[in-house]
Amino acid sequence: MPLLVGGGAMAAAVLVGDPSLFNVLFCPPSMPRRSLSLGGKNLMLHQPPKPISPRLILCRSGAGALDPAAPEKEIPKVREGGRDQRKAVRIAWEKLVRWSRSWRSKAKTDVVERTKKVVVLGGGSFGTAMAAHIAGKKAEMEVLMLVRDEDVCRGINETHFNSRKYFPNHMLPENVFATTNARDALLGADFCLHVVPVQCSSSFLEGISQHVDPKLPFISLSKGLELNTLRTMSQIIPQALRNPRQPFVVLSGPSFAVELMRKLPTAMVVASKDKNLAGTVQQLLASPHLRISSSSDVIGVEIAGALKNVLAIAAGIVEGMNLGNNCMAALVAQGCSEIRWLATKMGAKATTLTGLSGSGDIMLTCFVNLSRNRTVGLRLGSGESLDDIISSMNQVAEGVSTAGAVIALAEKYNVKMPVLTAVARIIDNELTPKTAVLELMGLPQVEEV
């Protein structure tokens, strides 16, 4: 007959699914041993003369059965000082809240108040989402999008929807407008958001340079490297505008456009060599659903933003080939190391690469299906040709054009980047995904750095 000892009576009540039976099952010392029938099974209860720690003796042979011969396991006690620990956690949280309130009370709030006009260069999904985000901060602010397509322009102005079918369930704020005229867009602007694809940026900016105020702050949201010159946006913008002193800020971090439109919480980072400008843009963009950190590491933020797109293609290839979760984790870890090796050689801070523009954006782009670059890799891994993939997409996957530039940079700075090099060779049709995996797995076993 199964035996319950001391506190094991409580376990029996739990096992039969009726906690109220605890009072029935519990035997005080004065009561003799007795047996009870529960659910057609006989249980014998016994209360020993000396108190013992409650023990639950579990049987290996059947679920819910009790076996005295089975190994005993102590039920963990509530740790002493638990109340003190909970109190310490509560006090720590209250201190954090007080610090936050104090910080907000001292922070600048006049940036949005004095901003009358923001221009957004580009009419894609991310440009549209950022235009809606900024316009939502103040109804009196004019947010003007400079677009190339007359239909897109007309759709935004007449229906407050982007006619490219971006965000069909989200109407743009009434203070968002569009134009195809660069002079009208840039006239009187307080800030300029640049969201034009990197490979088109130089020629586009040269074409509008005569309308750009030399003191107009440019906030770059474009991620990538120019293929032929290996330039980043912090180099492209001032050179294309023929103004080496053009105020410049780069914005990056985990931020899918569709989630920005839905006002789901996230965080990004602005980086500029001008600390005051970074702080100003931080206040312009920050909102209850978008945290903005600041940094002075422009090159770190830009390189992380460019290379994560190439790594996302690699992650998609692993998914498309059904190589498993272990392979995915190992590949992304290796890719993160390669990004760190190159970026630090170029002068970036290692801490930047573990922040929002590094690890934050990498995790989002490599592991989530909304990523355009991951989608390219997934389809490559499934056997589709790159030409078919690109022709079927209505948005730009920057990683495709950036891959070759990354390898050129790696050669320039003498950095070995096996994963990202493999992606470039697959894109150039020099390797199949299967062959690339075999070659990567055949590399020498080396020390981790």
Side-chain angles (χ1 to χ4, degrees):
M1 179 181 294
L3 179 64
L4 287 177
V5 181
M10 182 186 295
V14 174
L15 287 172
V16 298
D18 189 355
S20 66
L21 291 174
F22 172 69
N23 291 332
V24 178
L25 295 172
F26 177 73
C27 298
S30 60
M31 290 182 64
R33 180 186 304 179
R34 63 193 179 99
S35 64
L36 293 176
S37 177
L38 297 175
K41 296 183 180 180
N42 291 326
L43 299 175
M44 178 168 285
L45 306 175
H46 173 66
Q47 179 69 31
K50 294 182 181 181
I52 64 171
S53 299
R55 292 180 180 178
L56 174 61
I57 306 175
L58 301 177
C59 175
R60 300 175 183 173
S61 60
L66 300 173
D67 182 5
E72 299 181 0
K73 292 184 179 181
E74 291 282 353
I75 296 177
K77 295 181 179 179
V78 177
R79 290 184 298 175
E80 295 182 4
R83 290 183 179 179
D84 292 339
Q85 290 179 356
R86 289 194 293 271
K87 182 179 179 181
V89 171
R90 185 178 69 253
I91 291 173
W93 178 257
E94 290 172 350
K95 287 182 178 179
L96 180 64
V97 171
R98 287 196 299 271
W99 168 80
S100 176
R101 289 172 180 169
S102 173
W103 182 270
R104 286 199 304 268
S105 66
K106 297 175 183 178
K108 295 179 181 179
T109 58
D110 60 337
V111 174
V112 175
E113 293 175 3
R114 68 171 184 259
T115 299
K116 297 180 180 179
K117 181 179 179 180
V118 175
V119 60
V120 178
L121 306 180
S125 59
F126 200 52
T128 303
M130 287 303 299
H133 170 74
I134 294 175
K137 298 199 66 174
K138 190 175 76 170
E140 297 79 17
M141 184 192 305
E142 179 188 7
V143 179
L144 191 54
M145 298 175 63
L146 178 60
V147 299
R148 293 179 299 175
D149 193 314
E150 289 283 356
D151 290 335
V152 171
C153 182
R154 185 165 46 253
I156 292 172
N157 291 332
E158 294 179 0
T159 68
H160 291 285
F161 285 99
N162 191 316
S163 63
R164 289 181 178 172
K165 306 302 181 184
Y166 301 135
F167 325 118
N169 299 320
H170 295 85
M171 182 179 290
L172 295 171
E174 293 185 357
N175 54 329
V176 174
F177 305 96
T179 181
T180 57
N181 187 299
R183 181 180 178 279
D184 293 344
L186 292 159
L187 185 63
D190 297 299
F191 295 94
C192 177
L193 271 67
H194 183 279
V195 207
V196 177
V198 173
Q199 306 308 322
C200 309
S201 290
S202 184
S203 59
F204 171 79
L205 290 169
E206 288 172 359
I208 66 169
S209 59
Q210 67 269 29
H211 305 301
V212 176
D213 188 312
K215 295 182 180 179
L216 176 63
F218 267 68
I219 305 168
S220 174
L221 285 70
S222 305
K223 299 175 182 177
L225 298 167
E226 195 172 48
L227 185 56
N228 295 326
T229 66
L230 310 182
R231 293 185 300 175
T232 62
M233 290 307 305
S234 62
Q235 298 168 315
I236 293 171
I237 289 176
Q239 291 175 17
L241 297 178
R242 302 180 185 88
N243 179 14
R245 296 183 179 276
Q246 192 78 41
F248 177 85
V249 177
V250 58
L251 173 69
S252 190
S255 50
F256 282 145
V258 65
E259 295 189 5
L260 283 175
M261 283 295 286
R262 294 172 59 193
K263 298 184 178 180
L264 298 178
T266 189
M268 302 177 73
V269 60
V270 291
S272 178
K273 295 178 181 179
D274 184 337
K275 184 177 180 179
N276 291 331
L277 179 58
T280 298
V281 174
Q282 186 179 36
Q283 294 303 317
L284 174 71
L285 300 179
S287 77
H289 60 273
L290 178 58
R291 285 183 52 80
I292 300 291
S293 300
S294 62
S295 171
S296 60
D297 187 9
V298 174
I299 189 65
V301 171
E302 287 193 298
I303 292 298
L307 272 61
K308 61 94 182 178
N309 286 328
V310 183
L311 180 55
I313 294 176
I317 290 173
V318 168
E319 182 72 16
M321 295 179 68
N322 294 313
L323 297 180
N325 297 321
N326 293 341
C327 182
M328 177 70 76
L331 173 124
V332 173
Q334 170 66 24
C336 288
S337 294
E338 294 178 15
I339 292 172
R340 171 170 52 85
W341 298 337
L342 178 59
T344 51
K345 275 286 191 76
M346 296 178 67
K349 299 176 183 177
T351 51
T352 300
L353 307 175
T354 59
L356 291 166
S357 62
S359 298
D361 216 357
I362 287 170
M363 286 188 285
L364 184 75
T365 313
C366 289
F367 299 141
V368 182
N369 288 332
L370 288 172
S371 166
R372 296 191 295 267
N373 293 284
R374 184 181 187 276
T375 299
V376 169
L378 192 152
R379 294 174 66 179
L380 284 170
S382 300
E384 292 188 56
S385 71
L386 182 63
D387 290 340
D388 290 343
I389 296 169
I390 297 302
S391 63
S392 67
M393 297 180 70
N394 62 357
Q395 298 184 68
V396 176
E398 287 280 9
V400 174
S401 54
T402 300
V406 168
I407 305 315
L409 274 179
E411 293 176 356
K412 178 179 179 180
Y413 288 92
N414 194 27
V415 177
K416 290 182 174 62
M417 306 177 74
V419 166
L420 301 189
T421 300
V423 174
R425 295 190 68 196
I426 291 171
I427 288 173
D428 289 342
N429 205 29
E430 295 177 356
L431 275 182
T432 64
K434 183 177 179 179
T435 304
V437 171
L438 293 173
E439 290 191 6
L440 287 172
M441 293 303 294
L443 291 174
Q445 317 299 318
V446 296
E447 182 180 1
E448 186 176 52
V449 290

